[in-house]
């Protein structure tokens, strides 16, 4: 317990200067004074120092930073952009020596003399080793990292209530769920059995895609803290000359990345959620190689349907359907003021239409910025989807600066039958309206006949209260004028010009009404 409190105090001291800076942004002299206006350069510099602090504090805070990079409901865009760079390699001995795990798990099955380091992340380290005459890859969880993360997550849980005291209502709502989201995502990444299962499932789902490679898993060598897989190499996808001598262009690879990730998420329901350049490579024959499935997710069928509904609403600019989709995805509360949210979403669509270039990141930023006055949060599965979109779009635009990520999304959704073409959508809407109206139209003649029969028998009586003040004649003129105006509109479709005298008569009664009102 002493170690926990020592860590708690150390973390507080590291973040204290940033807390004071953010407080001064709201009140220049902490307790009084107006808000400060700072240049973007100042915020960028502060975001870089905050990122470096998270890197120094270790794996748990690196993951917290990566999660925050996709939480626009908590952090401003400048800070989110900087946190996305938390992909730096971590030294081999951080969090304990992973070689000890290899020796304990596979000492009798492999030749440890052939063990060679490859790369390191915040939670694991990667080696290659000889096994049955071939070189395989080993992703090894750092031995002490789970205990460190459990301790640091307890620290985060204690810090969040303090941060909430200085947050606005919208941010406080998101922060209440943040610690649980961090724990869920990091726990999934620490479970290599889960990663192995998802990796094998994605490989099977993409088996028919000849130009996409997912390494095979060696199940017999894998465990909860060690993942053994086929060793595949390629050129880093964003390196200069990565496509030299290949039959695939950067634009074609960008389209392939977007299509493959859309298929994983919307068709298969299980997807790789970390498509940054370090996890994507180009094989020697021009294929797309996908690494590291630690950050991945399975979507329930209902969530897939809700996401498709969200895309459809965005494409068709259907505000009511967009509100429904955001509520279904738990982004907005069920009891939210739908009318007010609808007005805000109208502004979002209007603002996006006014831009020369609309990107996925622009949509997410505009949407979350405009929704700041409402209590909203981004659940973990939606957060990972946002990450796939923003990170994936960034990679695609590095390959081809003119790449239209949204056009590929729309084309994919149409091809898969998730959304209709504009003409088909119009036909479907017309048919839906007609189908809903048919029962009422079928009953209309019967209702008219019944009403006329009751009028003839004197069973239908209309009672009105007398109008006080003697304005009954003026009211009569108004009724006659309005009725004749409606009649003139209907007669305009007749071949004879009957609407002209009727319109004149309507005008006369309207003038009589105005004259009567003025006299009284």
């Amino acid at each position: 317990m002493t170690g926990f409190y020592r860590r708690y105090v150390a973390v507080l001291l590291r973040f204290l200067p940033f807390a004071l800076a953010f407080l001064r942004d709201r009140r220049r002299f902490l307790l009084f004074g107006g808000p400060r206006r700072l240049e973007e350069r100042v915020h960028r510099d502060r975001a870089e120092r905050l990122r470096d602090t998270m890197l120094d504090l270790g794996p748990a805070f690196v993951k917290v930073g990566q999660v925050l990079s996709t939480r626009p409901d908590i952090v401003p865009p400048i800070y989110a952009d900087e946190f996305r760079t938390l992909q730096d390699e971590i030294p081999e001995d951080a969090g304990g020596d992973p070689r000890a795990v290899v020796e304990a798990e596979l000492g009798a099955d492999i030749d440890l003399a052939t063990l060679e380091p490859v790369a390191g992340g915040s939670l694991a380290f990667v080696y290659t080793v000889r096994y049955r005459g071939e070189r395989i890859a080993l992703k090894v969880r750092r031995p002490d990292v789970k205990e460190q993360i459990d301790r640091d997550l307890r620290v985060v849980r204690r810090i969040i209530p303090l941060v909430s005291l200085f947050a606005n209502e919208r941010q406080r709502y998101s922060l209440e769920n943040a610690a649980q989201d961090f724990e869920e995502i990091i726990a999934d990444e620490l479970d290599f059995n889960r990663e192995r299962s998802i990796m094998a499932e994605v490989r099977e789902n993409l088996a028919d895609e000849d130009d996409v490679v997912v390494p095979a898993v060696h199940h017999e060598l894998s465990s909860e803290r060690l993942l053994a897989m086929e060793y595949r190499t390629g050129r880093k996808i964003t390196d200069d000359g990565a496509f030299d001598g290949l039959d695939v262009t950067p634009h074609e690879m960008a389209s392939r990345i977007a299509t493959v990730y859309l298929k994983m998420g919307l068709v298969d329901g299980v997807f790789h959620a970390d498509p940054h350049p370090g996890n994507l490579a180009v094989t020697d024959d021009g294929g797309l190689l996908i690494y590291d499935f630690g950050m991945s997710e399975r979507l329930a069928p209902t969530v897939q349907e809700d996401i498709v509904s969200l895309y459809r609403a965005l494409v068709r600019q259907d505000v009511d359907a967009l509100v429904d989709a955001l509520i279904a995805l738990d982004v907005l509360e069920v009891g939210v003021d739908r009318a007010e949210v609808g007005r805000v979403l109208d502004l979002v669509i209007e603002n996006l239409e006014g831009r020369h270039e609309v990107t996925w990141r622009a949509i997410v930023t505009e949407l979350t910025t405009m929704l700041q006055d409402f209590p909203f949060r981004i659940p973990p599965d939606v957060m990972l989807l946002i990450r796939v979109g923003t990170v994936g779009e960034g990679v695609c635009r590095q390959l081809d600066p003119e790449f239209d990520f949204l056009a590929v999304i729309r084309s994919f959704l149409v091809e898969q039958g998730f959304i209709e073409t504009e003409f088909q959508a119009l036909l479907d809407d017309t048919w839906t309206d007609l189908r809903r109206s048919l029962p009422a139209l079928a009953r209309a003649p019967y209702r008219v006949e019944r009403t006329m029969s009751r009028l003839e028998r004197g069973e239908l009586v209309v009672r009105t209260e007398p109008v006080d003040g003697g304005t009954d004649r003026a009211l009569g003129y108004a009724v006659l004028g309005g009725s004749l105006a409606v009649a003139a509109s209907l007669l305009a479709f007749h071949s004879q010009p009957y609407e002209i005298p009727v319109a004149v008569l309507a005008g006369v009664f309207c003038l009589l009404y105005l004259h009567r009102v003025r006299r009284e």
Side-chain angles (χ1 to χ4, degrees):
M1 187 60 72
T2 303
F4 166 76
Y5 285 113
R6 187 183 300 117
R7 178 66 168 174
Y8 181 73
V9 172
V11 170
L12 280 181
L13 291 176
R14 292 296 301 272
F15 284 118
L16 183 60
F18 298 103
L20 293 175
F22 286 124
L23 285 175
R24 290 195 63 209
D25 290 347
R26 297 174 61 184
R27 289 194 177 96
R28 183 178 297 273
F29 302 105
L30 296 181
L31 299 178
F32 60 90
R36 296 192 301 174
R37 288 183 175 273
L38 300 177
E39 296 180 2
E40 181 177 326
R41 175 184 54 81
V42 177
H43 282 293
R44 182 72 62 186
D45 178 67
R46 188 190 297 170
E48 290 176 1
R49 289 186 287 110
L50 188 53
R51 178 207 60 196
D52 292 341
T53 299
M54 290 179 171
L55 193 60
D56 291 342
L57 287 172
F61 288 93
V62 170
K63 284 299 167 187
V64 167
Q66 290 176 352
V67 170
L68 287 176
S69 72
T70 53
R71 292 298 297 261
D73 54 330
I74 298 178
V75 298
I78 290 178
Y79 293 85
D81 288 343
E82 199 59 47
F83 293 163
R84 288 190 186 98
T85 66
L86 278 167
Q87 309 292 350
D88 298 339
E89 291 193 1
I90 312 297
E92 182 179 0
D93 58 352
D97 184 3
R99 290 174 180 266
V101 176
V102 178
E103 293 175 5
E105 297 275 352
L106 303 176
D109 299 314
I110 62 174
D111 182 2
L112 292 173
T114 64
L115 194 68
E116 296 180 3
V118 175
S122 56
L123 304 183
F125 202 85
V126 180
Y127 298 95
T128 64
V129 70
R130 299 288 297 180
Y131 173 68
R132 293 182 179 176
E134 65 174 336
R135 187 159 287 277
I136 65 172
L138 300 178
K139 182 179 178 181
V140 186
R141 193 173 76 194
R142 299 178 185 275
D144 301 329
V145 76
K146 194 172 189 306
E147 291 72 20
Q148 291 180 10
I149 284 178
D150 287 342
R151 178 200 62 194
D152 284 350
L153 285 177
R154 284 192 293 145
V155 170
V156 171
R157 282 197 297 270
R158 295 287 186 92
I159 290 176
I160 282 180
L162 296 178
V163 176
S164 298
L165 295 175
F166 306 101
N168 58 41
E169 183 178 354
R170 176 190 63 81
Q171 291 173 321
R172 194 176 302 119
Y173 176 78
S174 295
L175 283 168
E176 289 173 358
N177 305 283
Q180 182 179 348
D181 293 348
F182 294 152
E183 292 179 28
E184 181 179 334
I185 291 169
I186 294 175
D188 286 344
E189 285 203 60
L190 286 171
D191 186 355
F192 283 9
N193 283 329
R194 177 183 181 275
E195 180 177 348
R196 181 175 77 249
S197 171
I198 287 183
M199 189 173 177
E201 188 174 345
V202 171
R203 176 181 166 84
E204 183 179 352
N205 291 337
L206 299 177
D208 294 334
E209 306 287 339
D210 296 333
D211 49 11
V212 181
V213 179
V214 176
V217 174
H218 289 277
H219 296 278
E220 72 280 5
L221 299 178
S222 301
S223 65
E224 182 187 356
R225 57 180 185 164
L226 188 149
L227 177 59
M229 70 198 90
E230 178 185 14
Y231 180 51
R232 299 296 298 263
T233 60
R235 312 172 191 178
K236 187 176 179 180
I237 202 163
T238 53
D239 280 353
D240 293 336
F243 296 90
D244 291 348
L246 301 180
D247 292 333
V248 61
T249 66
H251 175 79
E252 291 170 342
M253 182 58 73
S255 298
R256 185 182 303 169
I257 291 170
T259 303
V260 166
Y261 276 85
L262 285 167
K263 180 182 184 301
M264 281 193 280
L266 300 183
V267 177
D268 303 328
V270 54
F271 63 95
H272 177 258
D274 199 16
H276 68 81
N279 288 339
L280 302 175
V282 186
T283 63
D284 292 337
D285 58 355
L288 170 65
L289 176 59
I290 304 176
Y291 296 113
D292 193 356
F293 284 74
M295 191 175 289
S296 53
E297 186 62 276
R298 282 191 177 92
L299 297 177
T302 53
V303 176
Q304 287 179 256
E305 293 173 4
D306 293 335
I307 293 166
V308 171
S309 298
L310 180 66
Y311 279 123
R312 184 186 294 115
L314 285 170
V315 169
R316 300 175 65 179
Q317 299 184 5
D318 187 337
V319 171
D320 288 336
L322 187 55
V323 175
D324 289 338
L326 291 173
I327 292 174
L329 289 168
D330 290 330
V331 174
L332 292 172
E333 290 184 315
V334 175
V336 73
D337 186 340
R338 293 179 61 94
E340 190 61 33
V341 172
R343 283 192 286 272
V344 168
L345 294 178
D346 275 328
L347 286 175
V348 170
I349 293 173
E350 183 179 334
N351 290 345
L352 290 172
E353 285 182 336
R355 297 188 181 185
H356 172 69
E357 182 181 60
V358 179
T359 63
W360 171 259
R361 180 173 294 185
I363 291 176
V364 172
T365 301
E366 188 73 29
L367 191 62
T368 52
T369 300
M370 297 294 283
L371 288 176
Q372 286 185 1
D373 292 335
F374 302 93
F376 80 100
R377 67 180 291 259
I378 302 179
D381 48 5
V382 178
M383 184 207 75
L384 289 177
L385 281 168
I386 291 175
R387 177 181 176 81
V388 169
T390 52
V391 176
E393 182 183 54
V395 171
C396 291
R397 291 177 74 85
Q398 278 185 268
L399 296 175
D400 179 6
E402 303 297 324
F403 186 75
D404 191 340
F405 192 71
L406 295 179
V408 175
I409 292 176
R410 179 183 176 84
S411 176
F412 177 85
L413 295 175
V414 171
E415 289 174 5
Q416 295 292 324
F418 289 129
I419 63 173
E420 313 86 349
T421 62
E422 295 300 327
F423 179 69
Q424 184 64 42
L426 178 62
L427 289 179
D428 289 347
D429 287 345
T430 303
W431 170 243
T432 299
D433 292 341
L434 181 61
R435 190 173 65 244
R436 291 173 178 174
S437 303
L438 281 176
L441 291 173
R443 292 193 297 269
Y446 168 73
R447 290 179 174 178
V448 171
E449 176 65 25
R450 186 177 62 177
T451 302
M452 295 298 294
S453 298
R454 292 181 65 187
L455 282 170
E456 290 176 357
R457 294 195 300 269
E459 297 176 0
L460 190 62
V461 179
V462 179
R463 293 185 176 87
T464 60
E465 296 295 332
V467 180
D468 296 332
T471 59
D472 52 329
R473 183 172 295 183
L475 185 61
Y477 290 151
V479 171
L480 286 171
S483 300
L484 288 170
V486 173
S489 301
L490 296 174
L491 289 171
F493 295 98
H494 198 275
S495 58
Q496 299 296 324
Y498 296 139
E499 70 274 9
I500 296 176
V502 175
V504 171
L505 197 58
V508 170
F509 280 112
C510 287
L511 290 173
L512 288 172
Y513 166 72
L514 293 173
H515 177 69
R516 185 78 181 185
V517 169
R518 186 173 182 180
R519 274 183 51 190
E520 295 179 353

